[in-house]
Amino acid sequence: MEKIQIVHTNDLHSHFENFPRVSRFIEQTRQNSIADDFYLFDIGDAMDRAHPLSEATNGQANIAWMNPLHYDAATIGNNEGLGNSHEELEHLYDHANFPVILGNLYEEKTGKLADFAVQSKFFTTESRTKIGVIGLTAPFILTYPLLNWDIRLIQDMLPKVLQDVKDCDVIVLLSHLGVSMDRLIASKHPEIDVIIGSHTHHLFPKGEMDNGVLLAAAGKYGQNVGTINLELNQDKHVIKKDAFTTPTSSMKVLDTDAAWIKAQYDKGEELLNQRQVANLPVTLSSDYHADHSIIQEALTAVQEYADAEVAILSSGLFLKDLPKGIITEKNLHDILPHAIHVMRTTMTGDNVWRLVMEMEKNRLYLRTHQQKGMGFRGKIFGELIYRGIKIDDKRNVYINGQELNKNQEYTLALLDHYLFVPYFPSIEIAGKNKIMYPKFLRNVFGEYLGKKYPI
C-alpha cells in the first residue's frame, strides 16, 4: 500500500496576515506526514496588487515567500495573468524554485507556450508511481489578447494536456477555472483522479466526489489550507482518496506574527512612497461634493486618456483624500487599490440614451451598494458622476450641451468594471468596448497628475 499526501493553497490574494500560520502549517504537515510522498501545490491568484508589497515588487515578494516552502508546482490565476503587464508576467517567476504548470496561455506573436510555463509535469514517487500534473487558468478571451497573450479555451486544450499524462498512474489537475468548470470536467473525464480548484473561492471542507473524481478547494485568502490523501495498491491504482481543509483560524498565532505582517505592509508602503508622482497645490477630496474633488480630476484624466467625448466614474472608487503637496505611488495605491482599467466605449446615441437610463434607474441603489469583486477593492459602488452628460426632467439627454442625436456615434470614457457588473447591460450589448491595458486606473490618474502638477 502506497500513501501520497498533497497540501494545497489557492487564491491567497496577498493576504499576508495569514501567511505566517499557513507557512508553519505547511512545514509541520510535511514534517509530520506519514505518507510515503508529500507534494505542495498552489492553484493561482497567490498575488494581488491590493497589498502594497505585491504592488511595489510586481509580485516578487509573493514568490520570495513561496520559495522557502518548496512548492512542487503552481499554476497562475487571473491576478497573475491580467494584473501584470506582459513583461511583468514573463519575469514573475524568474526566481521561483518551482515550475509553473499551465497549458492554455500562449505567446500571441510566436504561438508558443508562455516561456515561464510548462504544459505538464511528471513526478515519480519513491515506489516509482508516476504522477502527471496539468494546469489550466480561466480563459478571459476578451482581456488576455489586450496584453498580447493568446489564451486558449479549455475544451480545446484539455484533451491535449491530458494526452501528455495518459500513461501516468495518477492524474492531478491544478484548476484556476472555477467550481462549475471543475464539475463539468469531472463529469466528462473520470480518468482524472484529483481536481484541485480555485478562482471562484469555493470551499470543500471534506472534498467533493464527482463521477469518481475528487474535487478539492480551500476557499480564499489563506483562510484555509487543503490536504489530500491518496492510497494506491500494489498495481498502482488509486483505491482510496479523500480531502479536507484546515481553518487558519484554528492554527496557533505566535508573538512574532504581528510584527512580521506589519513589516511586509510597511516595506511595501515605504517602497511606493519613494516613487514621487506630482505636487498638488491643494488637497483633493474623496467627497464628490467638494470644490476640489478627486473625482473631477479623475474624470478629466480618463477622458483624455481614452480620447472620449464624455466620461463617467463612480465615487466609491476613491477611498481617501489626496493631500496637498508631494504625492507618491503610495498615495495613489491608498486611494485606488483596484484592479480596474479605463475603457473606451463607442455607441450610437440611442444606446447612449439607454445606458444613461440604466444608470439613472440604478443610481439610488448603487449609491450605498456594497460592491464586491470584479476588480473592485473598495466598499461601496457610490454615486455615478457624469462629465459632459446632462439629463432634463423629460429624460432628454444632452452631450456637451447638444441634444443627443440617436443616430450619431459617441465615445465614452468608462471603466472595465462597468462592463463586468450586471447593472449596465447596454455596455456589453451595444458598446464597441476597448479596455485599455495594461495600466490600472491609478496609473492613468497618476500620469495625468504628474503632467498637470509636476514636481
Side-chain angles (χ1 to χ4, degrees):
M1 196 77 68
E2 180 184 8
K3 295 184 178 181
I4 298 170
Q5 187 167 62
I6 298 169
V7 168
H8 57 96
T9 55
N10 63 271
D11 296 289
L12 293 171
H13 281 276
S14 293
H15 276 257
F16 282 79
E17 70 272 15
N18 290 321
F19 284 12
R21 285 176 289 173
V22 169
S23 60
R24 286 195 298 273
F25 175 85
I26 291 170
E27 290 167 345
Q28 290 163 6
T29 304
R30 178 185 275 117
Q31 183 178 348
N32 298 331
S33 178
I34 61 172
D36 300 294
D37 292 89
F38 180 96
Y39 297 95
L40 175 63
F41 299 127
D42 182 80
I43 324 299
D45 277 0
M47 70 167 284
D48 191 316
R49 287 179 178 271
H51 194 285
L53 187 56
S54 295
E55 170 79 349
T57 64
N58 294 328
Q60 294 296 329
N62 300 73
I63 305 303
W65 174 78
M66 295 173 73
N67 278 339
L69 294 173
H70 302 290
Y71 276 81
D72 290 283
T75 194
I76 74 164
N78 44 287
N79 270 269
E80 287 90 7
L82 298 172
N84 292 296
S85 69
H86 191 108
E87 183 179 7
E88 287 164 348
L89 179 57
E90 280 184 324
H91 295 289
L92 177 60
Y93 300 98
D94 282 357
H95 304 293
N97 60 9
F98 53 86
V100 178
I101 305 174
L102 180 60
N104 65 323
L105 187 69
Y106 286 72
E107 290 282 354
E108 192 176 63
K109 292 181 180 178
T110 65
K112 295 181 179 178
L113 187 70
D115 287 342
F116 63 84
V118 294
Q119 183 169 278
S120 55
K121 178 75 176 178
F122 305 101
F123 298 92
T124 303
T125 70
E126 292 289 335
S127 300
R128 311 306 297 171
T129 296
K130 192 174 182 181
I131 303 173
V133 182
I134 56 179
L136 296 165
T137 197
F140 287 91
I141 58 174
L142 295 179
T143 45
Y144 273 106
L146 301 176
L147 291 165
N148 300 316
W149 291 114
D150 175 14
I151 188 75
R152 300 188 180 177
L153 298 176
I154 305 310
Q155 59 264 38
D156 296 332
M157 301 312 299
L158 182 57
K160 181 179 179 180
V161 295
L162 281 174
Q163 191 66 22
D164 284 0
V165 296
K166 64 182 176 62
D167 296 326
C168 293
D169 303 302
V170 179
I171 298 175
V172 177
L173 168 60
L174 311 183
S175 166
H176 198 89
L177 302 175
V179 63
S180 297
M181 182 59 75
D182 290 350
R183 287 171 173 155
L184 179 62
I185 290 172
S187 72
K188 295 184 176 182
H189 295 281
E191 69 271 27
I192 300 174
D193 293 284
V194 181
I195 298 175
I196 312 178
S198 61
H199 184 49
T200 44
H201 298 180
H202 53 292
L203 176 66
F204 290 149
K206 295 183 179 180
E208 177 179 291
M209 198 68 74
D210 286 49
N211 193 31
V213 181
L214 177 62
L215 272 59
K220 62 180 181 179
Y221 303 163
Q223 295 171 353
N224 297 270
V225 182
T227 305
I228 298 163
N229 291 307
L230 306 177
E231 288 189 16
L232 287 74
N233 62 17
Q234 291 181 343
D235 295 326
K236 302 190 184 303
H237 294 145
V238 178
I239 58 172
K240 183 179 179 182
K241 48 188 172 182
D242 61 69
F244 64 90
T245 58
T246 304
T248 307
S249 59
S250 69
M251 302 172 192
K252 185 178 180 180
V253 177
L254 299 186
D255 294 340
T256 54
D257 287 356
W260 183 89
I261 294 164
K262 184 176 184 299
Q264 309 315 301
Y265 197 88
D266 290 348
K267 182 179 179 182
E269 294 224 312
E270 180 183 351
L271 289 170
L272 292 176
N273 215 27
Q274 293 171 5
R275 305 169 190 172
Q276 297 184 348
V277 175
N279 187 4
L280 297 184
V282 296
T283 294
L284 297 180
S285 174
S286 57
D287 180 0
Y288 64 91
H289 291 298
D291 290 338
H292 300 286
S293 66
I294 297 176
I295 198 167
Q296 291 300 330
E297 292 278 19
L299 282 164
T300 304
V302 299
Q303 186 175 3
E304 289 183 0
Y305 183 66
D307 190 23
E309 294 165 88
V310 300
I312 305 170
L313 290 174
S314 42
S315 63
L317 291 161
F318 304 93
L319 306 187
K320 295 182 179 181
D321 297 346
L322 270 181
K324 177 182 177 180
I326 299 294
I327 62 164
T328 66
E329 288 188 10
K330 173 191 176 299
N331 299 116
L332 293 173
H333 188 264
D334 284 345
I335 69 162
L336 290 168
H338 323 291
I340 288 175
H341 304 82
V342 176
M343 182 174 71
R344 188 177 195 264
T345 295
T346 304
M347 56 174 61
T348 55
D350 55 343
N351 290 309
V352 173
W353 183 88
R354 186 171 60 184
L355 173 61
V356 172
M357 293 306 113
E358 290 166 357
M359 291 182 167
E360 292 303 306
K361 177 183 181 296
N362 289 301
R363 179 180 292 279
L364 291 178
Y365 171 75
L366 292 173
R367 186 174 290 164
T368 57
H369 174 58
Q370 294 186 354
Q371 180 67 48
K372 293 183 179 179
M374 306 299 178
F376 189 72
R377 301 288 185 265
K379 295 180 179 179
I380 63 170
F381 187 92
E383 190 74 38
L384 283 161
I385 307 295
Y386 302 136
R387 166 67 56 79
I389 298 175
K390 299 287 185 183
I391 311 152
D392 66 19
D393 55 6
K394 295 181 180 179
R395 298 201 303 175
N396 295 310
V397 174
Y398 299 84
I399 302 295
N400 295 319
Q402 300 294 316
E403 187 169 357
L404 181 138
N405 181 340
K406 294 193 174 184
N407 297 314
Q408 181 179 332
E409 279 200 334
Y410 295 92
T411 55
L412 303 85
L414 302 171
L415 301 177
D416 61 353
H417 180 63
Y418 303 158
L419 173 65
F420 302 137
V421 295
Y423 313 118
F424 318 122
S426 290
I427 297 175
E428 182 175 6
I429 294 169
K432 301 173 187 175
N433 304 310
K434 180 182 179 182
I435 304 174
M436 304 181 76
Y437 271 78
K439 296 175 183 177
F440 286 128
L441 175 59
R442 60 178 169 273
N443 306 126
V444 172
F445 191 37
E447 290 179 4
Y448 163 81
L449 292 175
K451 292 177 181 177
K452 185 174 181 179
Y453 305 111
I455 297 171

